[in-house]
Short mmCIF file of all heavy atoms in Angstrom, two decimals:
data_model
loop_
_atom_site.label_atom_id
_atom_site.label_comp_id
_atom_site.label_asym_id
_atom_site.label_seq_id
_atom_site.Cartn_x
_atom_site.Cartn_y
_atom_site.Cartn_z
N ILE A 1 16.70 24.24 1.35
CA ILE A 1 16.82 25.46 0.53
C ILE A 1 18.17 25.48 -0.18
O ILE A 1 18.25 25.78 -1.38
CB ILE A 1 16.66 26.71 1.44
CG1 ILE A 1 15.21 26.84 1.90
CG2 ILE A 1 17.10 27.98 0.70
CD1 ILE A 1 14.99 27.93 2.95
N LYS A 2 19.25 25.16 0.55
CA LYS A 2 20.58 25.16 -0.07
C LYS A 2 20.68 24.11 -1.17
O LYS A 2 21.36 24.33 -2.19
CB LYS A 2 21.65 24.92 1.02
CG LYS A 2 21.88 26.14 1.90
CD LYS A 2 23.02 25.91 2.88
CE LYS A 2 22.58 25.13 4.08
NZ LYS A 2 23.63 25.07 5.15
N GLU A 3 20.04 22.97 -0.97
CA GLU A 3 20.12 21.89 -1.95
C GLU A 3 19.28 22.19 -3.19
O GLU A 3 19.76 22.07 -4.33
CB GLU A 3 19.66 20.59 -1.31
CG GLU A 3 19.59 19.42 -2.30
CD GLU A 3 18.92 18.20 -1.70
OE1 GLU A 3 18.76 18.13 -0.45
OE2 GLU A 3 18.54 17.30 -2.48
N ILE A 4 18.05 22.61 -2.98
CA ILE A 4 17.11 22.77 -4.11
C ILE A 4 17.34 24.08 -4.85
O ILE A 4 17.20 24.14 -6.08
CB ILE A 4 15.66 22.68 -3.59
CG1 ILE A 4 15.41 21.28 -2.98
CG2 ILE A 4 14.65 22.96 -4.70
CD1 ILE A 4 14.08 21.14 -2.26
N PHE A 5 17.74 25.12 -4.13
CA PHE A 5 17.95 26.43 -4.76
C PHE A 5 19.43 26.80 -4.74
O PHE A 5 19.82 27.88 -4.29
CB PHE A 5 17.11 27.49 -4.05
CG PHE A 5 15.65 27.15 -3.94
CD1 PHE A 5 15.00 27.17 -2.71
CD2 PHE A 5 14.93 26.80 -5.07
CE1 PHE A 5 13.66 26.86 -2.62
CE2 PHE A 5 13.58 26.46 -4.98
CZ PHE A 5 12.95 26.49 -3.75
N ASN A 6 20.27 25.89 -5.19
CA ASN A 6 21.72 26.11 -5.15
C ASN A 6 22.20 27.13 -6.18
O ASN A 6 23.37 27.48 -6.21
CB ASN A 6 22.48 24.79 -5.34
CG ASN A 6 22.11 24.09 -6.64
OD1 ASN A 6 21.42 24.65 -7.49
ND2 ASN A 6 22.59 22.87 -6.80
N ASP A 7 21.30 27.63 -7.02
CA ASP A 7 21.65 28.66 -7.99
C ASP A 7 21.18 30.04 -7.54
O ASP A 7 21.19 31.00 -8.32
CB ASP A 7 21.03 28.33 -9.35
CG ASP A 7 19.51 28.16 -9.29
OD1 ASP A 7 18.98 27.91 -8.17
OD2 ASP A 7 18.85 28.27 -10.34
N ALA A 8 20.78 30.15 -6.28
CA ALA A 8 20.22 31.41 -5.78
C ALA A 8 21.02 31.93 -4.59
O ALA A 8 21.83 31.21 -4.00
CB ALA A 8 18.76 31.20 -5.37
N MET A 9 20.81 33.20 -4.27
CA MET A 9 21.32 33.78 -3.03
C MET A 9 20.28 33.49 -1.96
O MET A 9 19.17 34.03 -1.98
CB MET A 9 21.53 35.28 -3.18
CG MET A 9 21.66 36.04 -1.86
SD MET A 9 23.04 35.51 -0.83
CE MET A 9 24.41 36.21 -1.71
N ASN A 10 20.62 32.58 -1.03
CA ASN A 10 19.68 32.13 -0.01
C ASN A 10 19.98 32.83 1.30
O ASN A 10 21.11 32.80 1.80
CB ASN A 10 19.77 30.62 0.16
CG ASN A 10 19.45 29.89 -1.13
OD1 ASN A 10 18.40 30.11 -1.73
ND2 ASN A 10 20.34 29.01 -1.56
N VAL A 11 18.96 33.47 1.88
CA VAL A 11 19.15 34.34 3.04
C VAL A 11 18.12 34.01 4.12
O VAL A 11 16.94 33.82 3.83
CB VAL A 11 19.01 35.83 2.66
CG1 VAL A 11 19.35 36.73 3.84
CG2 VAL A 11 19.85 36.17 1.44
N ARG A 12 18.60 33.91 5.36
CA ARG A 12 17.68 33.89 6.49
C ARG A 12 17.55 35.34 6.95
O ARG A 12 18.50 35.92 7.46
CB ARG A 12 18.21 33.02 7.62
CG ARG A 12 17.24 32.96 8.81
CD ARG A 12 17.86 32.23 9.99
NE ARG A 12 16.93 32.19 11.13
CZ ARG A 12 17.28 31.81 12.36
NH1 ARG A 12 18.53 31.44 12.62
NH2 ARG A 12 16.37 31.81 13.34
N ILE A 13 16.38 35.90 6.77
CA ILE A 13 16.21 37.31 7.07
C ILE A 13 15.69 37.54 8.49
O ILE A 13 15.62 38.69 8.95
CB ILE A 13 15.29 38.01 6.05
CG1 ILE A 13 13.92 37.35 5.99
CG2 ILE A 13 15.95 38.01 4.67
CD1 ILE A 13 12.95 38.10 5.09
N GLY A 14 15.37 36.45 9.18
CA GLY A 14 14.97 36.61 10.57
C GLY A 14 14.00 35.52 10.98
O GLY A 14 13.14 35.12 10.20
N GLY A 15 14.14 35.03 12.24
CA GLY A 15 13.22 34.04 12.77
C GLY A 15 13.07 32.84 11.85
O GLY A 15 14.03 32.14 11.55
N ASP A 16 11.85 32.61 11.38
CA ASP A 16 11.56 31.48 10.49
C ASP A 16 11.28 31.97 9.07
O ASP A 16 10.56 31.32 8.31
CB ASP A 16 10.37 30.69 11.01
CG ASP A 16 9.10 31.53 11.10
OD1 ASP A 16 9.22 32.77 11.22
OD2 ASP A 16 7.99 30.96 11.04
N GLU A 17 11.85 33.13 8.69
CA GLU A 17 11.63 33.69 7.37
C GLU A 17 12.91 33.60 6.53
O GLU A 17 14.00 33.92 7.00
CB GLU A 17 11.19 35.15 7.49
CG GLU A 17 9.86 35.32 8.20
CD GLU A 17 9.43 36.78 8.27
OE1 GLU A 17 10.31 37.66 8.08
OE2 GLU A 17 8.24 37.05 8.49
N PHE A 18 12.73 33.18 5.28
CA PHE A 18 13.85 32.98 4.37
C PHE A 18 13.49 33.55 3.00
O PHE A 18 12.31 33.57 2.61
CB PHE A 18 14.16 31.48 4.20
CG PHE A 18 14.38 30.75 5.49
CD1 PHE A 18 13.29 30.23 6.20
CD2 PHE A 18 15.65 30.58 6.01
CE1 PHE A 18 13.49 29.55 7.39
CE2 PHE A 18 15.85 29.90 7.19
CZ PHE A 18 14.76 29.38 7.88
N ILE A 19 14.52 34.00 2.29
CA ILE A 19 14.30 34.39 0.90
C ILE A 19 15.40 33.77 0.03
O ILE A 19 16.51 33.53 0.48
CB ILE A 19 14.30 35.93 0.70
CG1 ILE A 19 15.65 36.54 1.09
CG2 ILE A 19 13.15 36.57 1.47
CD1 ILE A 19 15.76 38.01 0.72
N SER A 20 15.03 33.50 -1.21
CA SER A 20 15.99 33.08 -2.22
C SER A 20 15.87 34.05 -3.39
O SER A 20 14.76 34.31 -3.88
CB SER A 20 15.70 31.64 -2.70
OG SER A 20 15.93 30.72 -1.66
N ILE A 21 17.02 34.60 -3.81
CA ILE A 21 17.03 35.60 -4.88
C ILE A 21 17.63 34.96 -6.13
O ILE A 21 18.76 34.47 -6.12
CB ILE A 21 17.86 36.83 -4.49
CG1 ILE A 21 17.33 37.43 -3.18
CG2 ILE A 21 17.85 37.88 -5.59
CD1 ILE A 21 18.19 38.53 -2.61
N PHE A 22 16.86 34.99 -7.20
CA PHE A 22 17.29 34.43 -8.48
C PHE A 22 17.53 35.57 -9.46
O PHE A 22 16.68 36.45 -9.60
CB PHE A 22 16.24 33.48 -9.05
CG PHE A 22 15.89 32.33 -8.14
CD1 PHE A 22 14.94 32.49 -7.13
CD2 PHE A 22 16.51 31.11 -8.28
CE1 PHE A 22 14.61 31.44 -6.29
CE2 PHE A 22 16.19 30.05 -7.45
CZ PHE A 22 15.24 30.22 -6.45
N THR A 23 18.65 35.57 -10.11
CA THR A 23 18.97 36.63 -11.07
C THR A 23 18.74 36.11 -12.49
O THR A 23 18.02 35.13 -12.69
CB THR A 23 20.41 37.11 -10.88
OG1 THR A 23 21.30 36.00 -10.94
CG2 THR A 23 20.57 37.78 -9.52
N ASP A 24 19.35 36.77 -13.48
CA ASP A 24 19.10 36.44 -14.88
C ASP A 24 19.19 34.94 -15.14
O ASP A 24 20.11 34.27 -14.70
CB ASP A 24 20.11 37.15 -15.78
CG ASP A 24 19.90 38.65 -15.76
OD1 ASP A 24 18.78 39.07 -15.45
OD2 ASP A 24 20.87 39.39 -16.02
N GLY A 25 18.24 34.42 -15.82
CA GLY A 25 18.25 33.01 -16.19
C GLY A 25 17.21 32.20 -15.47
O GLY A 25 16.89 31.08 -15.86
N ALA A 26 16.68 32.72 -14.39
CA ALA A 26 15.65 32.01 -13.64
C ALA A 26 14.39 32.87 -13.61
O ALA A 26 14.44 34.06 -13.35
CB ALA A 26 16.13 31.73 -12.22
N ASN A 27 13.24 32.25 -13.88
CA ASN A 27 11.97 32.98 -13.82
C ASN A 27 10.98 32.22 -12.97
O ASN A 27 11.26 31.11 -12.48
CB ASN A 27 11.42 33.22 -15.23
CG ASN A 27 11.31 31.93 -16.03
OD1 ASN A 27 10.91 30.89 -15.49
ND2 ASN A 27 11.69 31.99 -17.30
N MET A 28 9.82 32.81 -12.78
CA MET A 28 8.83 32.22 -11.88
C MET A 28 8.40 30.83 -12.34
O MET A 28 8.19 29.94 -11.52
CB MET A 28 7.61 33.14 -11.79
CG MET A 28 7.91 34.44 -11.05
SD MET A 28 6.45 35.47 -10.81
CE MET A 28 6.10 35.96 -12.51
N GLN A 29 8.30 30.63 -13.66
CA GLN A 29 7.84 29.35 -14.18
C GLN A 29 8.84 28.23 -13.90
O GLN A 29 8.47 27.08 -13.64
CB GLN A 29 7.59 29.44 -15.69
CG GLN A 29 6.33 30.22 -16.06
CD GLN A 29 6.46 31.72 -15.79
OE1 GLN A 29 7.56 32.26 -15.88
NE2 GLN A 29 5.36 32.36 -15.44
N SER A 30 10.15 28.57 -13.93
CA SER A 30 11.16 27.56 -13.65
C SER A 30 11.37 27.35 -12.16
O SER A 30 11.81 26.29 -11.72
CB SER A 30 12.49 27.94 -14.30
OG SER A 30 13.01 29.13 -13.72
#
């Protein structure tokens, strides 16, 4: 996650669940 989504806020929100937050400049297609 840290390597591939190095332009995002990467969070372990609990257990085996993770989220990556992308702000302006990144969209679903990219």
Side-chain angles (χ1 to χ4, degrees):
I1 290 172
K2 286 185 279 189
E3 175 190 344
I4 298 172
F5 307 127
N6 58 8
D7 57 339
M9 163 60 74
N10 300 307
V11 186
R12 181 187 179 191
I13 58 175
D16 60 335
E17 297 181 342
F18 307 86
I19 62 172
S20 293
I21 304 172
F22 302 84
T23 54
D24 292 337
N27 53 41
M28 291 185 292
Q29 286 70 31
S30 65

